Amino acid sequence: MVEIKPLIIGNLTAKVPVIQGGMGVGVSLSSLAGAVASEGGIGVISTAQIGYREADFDDDPIGANMRAIKSEIRKARQIAKEGILGVNIMVATRKYEEYVKAAVDAGIDLIISGAGLPMELPKLVGAAKTKLAPIVSSVKSAQVIMRYWWKKYQRLPDAVVIEGPLAGGHLGFHKGQLDDIDGLNYDQEVKAIIEQVNGMAMEHESHIPVIMAGGVYTRTDMEHYLEMGASGVQMATRFVTTYECDADEAYKQSYIDAKKEDIVIVQSPVGMPGRAILNPFMRRAKEGQVPHGKCHLCISTCKPAETPYCITDALVNAVKGKIEDALLFCGANAYRATKLEHVKDIMDEFRP
């Protein structure tokens, strides 16, 4: 039986080695992140279109998002005064630098960053105490980031998150790889990444914990990766069906109602494959363009005139519970949800 230890990231210690994955748009905000942090894990707020509820979001999405970053971090701190809070900021976000600086100014403990390689993240954070955790899906991406950060900034990641092919939302894999996940033999890649990170840490007399994400749903899943050398896990899908999750109840119910065959790989309008629940909206999107309004300046790779639908509109509909007109991102295990749970009960399952 594997020993479960606290997750140590620099001077931060999470009593439960669980990071709650960041979920945009609006699925993981202050309520969920604060609840996880107050139970000894690391709660994560997604900055992706975080200001969707602001009155001026349609006219000034960037300004609305900047205000919401600060207000959501402040509200999460009120819930978990002594807890550890992070933000997930996608590298592909337009005005990425401004999002990073807003989170740092708000006193965030940890920035987790993927959807691209966060090559300049150390420069943007500067001398702040904020810890940095890039998301990688391959040995190569881990090597590139660590070597570049050290050469240019004399800094290593404070932690590394491995996101596997069973994760929800946008994925760092090609469509062909996702069609044959078993053929990827991804556990071997996980071991190789852990070995690479540990080697770099030893070389510089440092400690870099590796956190496994994607497909983690139970304590048994966590123990599997701890045995392989990971220091903790990141879970997102499991936390969607909690009372504390910031999404509408209809969104949560879509997970509970989903069957395994309903969870499919889709092509996101921003050019990346993703995992979602097949619903009437996705069927319409396959047949032709779904009309949409003005651009909300979300992802730098999006070309509004060419997209089959607006991903911001589709994800805002999801979090508001308009599920017939929504993109319902989810992890591969979403179908395993059968009821709503409290965050505390989930965290109790993962405690040392």
Side-chain angles (χ1 to χ4, degrees), residues 225-270:
Y225 290 113
L226 296 183
E227 285 178 335
M228 289 170 56
S231 296
V233 293
Q234 177 176 289
M235 295 192 304
T237 293
R238 179 78 185 268
F239 287 112
V240 169
T241 49
T242 59
Y243 293 100
E244 296 84 357
C245 177
D246 295 86
D248 185 87
E249 298 306 305
Y251 181 79
K252 302 174 189 182
Q253 190 64 39
S254 72
Y255 278 43
I256 294 170
D257 292 341
K259 299 179 177 62
K260 189 172 185 178
E261 58 268 24
D262 296 329
I263 298 170
V264 297
I265 300 299
V266 300
Q267 187 62 29
S268 161
V270 301

Side-chain angles (χ1 to χ4, degrees), residues 268-282:
S268 161
V270 301
M272 292 179 265
R275 180 173 280 108
I277 296 172
L278 185 61
N279 67 340
F281 175 81
M282 290 311 304

